[in-house]
Amino acid sequence: MSHEVLQPPAPKRPEEQFGFNENERLFWRVSDQRFHSILSDEKTIIHKVHESSNMFGEFLFVTTSRPGEQERIAMTFYGLGYHDERERWITQEWFWYQTDSTSKMLEDQMNKEEATEILKKRSERIQTYTQEDTQTQRGKIFEILADLTDDDGAMAEMEDLESLDAWIIEIDGHVPPEEPSPTGENLLDEASREKLPALYSQEEKGLDALAQVKFFTLDSNWTWYASEFDGEDIFFGLVSGFEVEYGYFSLKELQEARGPMGLEIERDVHFEPQSLKELAEWHRQQHQE
């Protein structure tokens, strides 16, 4: 009489621990409704909610974890931001990727009510801009390619396609002029210069003065906000680096500076004016976390 040997079940993959269905695994994103249901689930712990940037744009990033078969599984979701390649606002869905669940990360936990309030404020802040239809034919084609592969694969495909002038002419009917990169000599363009009040002209407003221009680096956490400009080189505003402080900084130095990976400082082309006080409070909260 033979005895059947039962094989142990295969371990669940990380995305299965989060209950992602086939479409959510295939397209690397979940709907806004599913995202909130994951956050509200008693098994989910929220570790961090913060605004940051990746190669596709600036988004709100939400790092979470759920129990796995041997250790906790961490996932980061990002959304509520403008996707530069898809050329549209990401508001009704959240992209996800697995995060290394280090002991330091798992120690940090956030109250779910506090996290929900941050999500609500971010959504309210960008609501005005999300109503605009900004997607061109290029953005639509990128999105089709991205859904067939992924965003990284679509970028490689678009680079190949855009090297063909005939393809661009066929799609857009003309070759659009290239916009100067918001770095180096073009770090402060004419439109940004015109928005900035003269140096010392906002003193009576104090910290209620509005930051009109934002500069940042993709390879560090340094950020500069300008609320005044002398018309030549000197800004006044807020600097978030090792500390969060108000003071003066130089356009020339920003143009020449490089981050730890050699990347240039950039101007945030999607930044909308905010008070220095509001920005300082947000960055100090991020430093504490």
Side-chain angles (χ1 to χ4, degrees):
M1 180 176 177
S2 62
H3 296 277
E4 183 179 357
V5 179
L6 298 178
Q7 296 295 328
K12 289 185 177 181
R13 291 177 295 181
E15 57 267 29
E16 292 177 319
Q17 300 287 358
F18 270 74
F20 294 162
N21 61 37
E22 184 177 354
N23 279 342
E24 291 166 345
R25 296 196 299 268
L26 180 63
F27 295 107
W28 298 85
R29 59 184 186 265
V30 299
S31 69
D32 185 62
Q33 181 178 358
R34 281 279 288 123
F35 169 71
H36 283 281
S37 70
I38 291 171
L39 293 190
S40 62
D41 192 296
E42 61 181 10
K43 295 180 181 179
T44 302
I45 292 178
I46 302 175
H47 298 281
K48 189 174 184 180
V49 180
H50 68 294
E51 294 182 16
S52 188
S53 301
N54 59 20
M55 63 191 300
F56 303 114
E58 183 177 283
F59 305 94
L60 195 65
F61 289 74
V62 182
T63 300
T64 66
S65 72
R66 298 188 72 170
E69 295 179 345
Q70 296 182 346
E71 59 184 13
R72 294 195 70 83
I73 304 297
M75 288 285 178
T76 294
F77 300 84
Y78 66 93
L80 293 180
Y82 188 81
H83 196 296
D84 293 334
E85 297 297 329
R86 293 176 184 258
E87 297 182 348
R88 66 177 178 86
W89 287 91
I90 307 299
T91 57
Q92 299 302 313
E93 59 204 323
W94 291 79
F95 290 84
W96 62 267
Y97 58 88
Q98 185 179 355
T99 305
D100 291 335
S101 52
T102 63
S103 58
K104 174 65 173 63
M105 187 212 77
L106 294 176
E107 288 174 3
D108 297 331
Q109 296 186 20
M110 175 177 285
N111 181 282
K112 291 191 177 182
E113 292 182 359
E114 179 185 357
T116 300
E117 185 63 22
I118 295 175
L119 290 166
K120 180 182 177 183
K121 288 183 177 180
R122 171 74 177 188
S123 181
E124 291 173 348
R125 180 141 49 94
I126 67 174
Q127 186 174 9
T128 303
Y129 315 106
T130 59
Q131 309 304 316
E132 302 176 7
D133 183 9
T134 57
Q135 195 175 53
T136 66
Q137 190 72 15
R138 182 198 181 281
K140 292 176 182 177
I141 291 175
F142 178 91
E143 189 140 43
I144 292 171
L145 293 172
D147 288 346
L148 289 172
T149 55
D150 55 31
D151 282 6
D152 291 334
M155 287 189 69
E157 292 291 340
M158 292 299 290
E159 288 176 1
D160 291 340
L161 289 171
E162 289 176 341
S163 66
L164 305 175
D165 290 343
W167 181 84
I168 299 177
I169 294 172
E170 179 181 350
I171 297 299
D172 288 310
H174 66 283
V175 178
E178 290 188 7
E179 294 185 5
S181 174
T183 60
E185 294 182 358
N186 298 308
L187 186 60
L188 186 68
D189 62 353
E190 286 302 320
S192 299
R193 287 175 180 269
E194 292 175 0
K195 290 192 297 184
L196 283 165
L199 202 61
Y200 310 120
S201 66
Q202 305 290 295
E203 288 185 337
E204 61 181 23
K205 294 183 179 180
L207 301 185
D208 290 325
L210 296 180
Q212 299 288 347
V213 184
K214 171 186 174 183
F215 306 104
F216 68 98
T217 56
L218 289 172
D219 55 351
S220 81
N221 61 354
W222 280 75
T223 311
W224 298 260
Y225 298 92
S227 61
E228 298 176 357
F229 185 49
D230 69 355
E232 295 183 6
D233 184 50
I234 302 301
F235 298 104
F236 177 81
L238 177 73
V239 180
S240 175
F242 298 119
E243 302 290 340
V244 180
E245 54 189 353
Y246 306 100
Y248 299 92
F249 52 97
S250 163
L251 172 61
K252 182 179 179 181
E253 290 178 356
L254 292 182
Q255 290 172 326
E256 295 175 351
R258 297 292 183 272
M261 296 177 64
L263 299 181
E264 293 180 295
I265 293 172
E266 298 186 25
R267 182 182 74 257
D268 185 345
V269 296
H270 300 297
F271 178 71
E272 294 296 327
Q274 292 177 250
S275 72
L276 295 175
K277 179 180 180 181
E278 181 182 8
L279 291 166
E281 290 175 351
W282 187 86
H283 277 282
R284 283 174 180 143
Q285 180 182 358
Q286 299 302 305
H287 277 239
Q288 291 173 0
E289 294 176 359

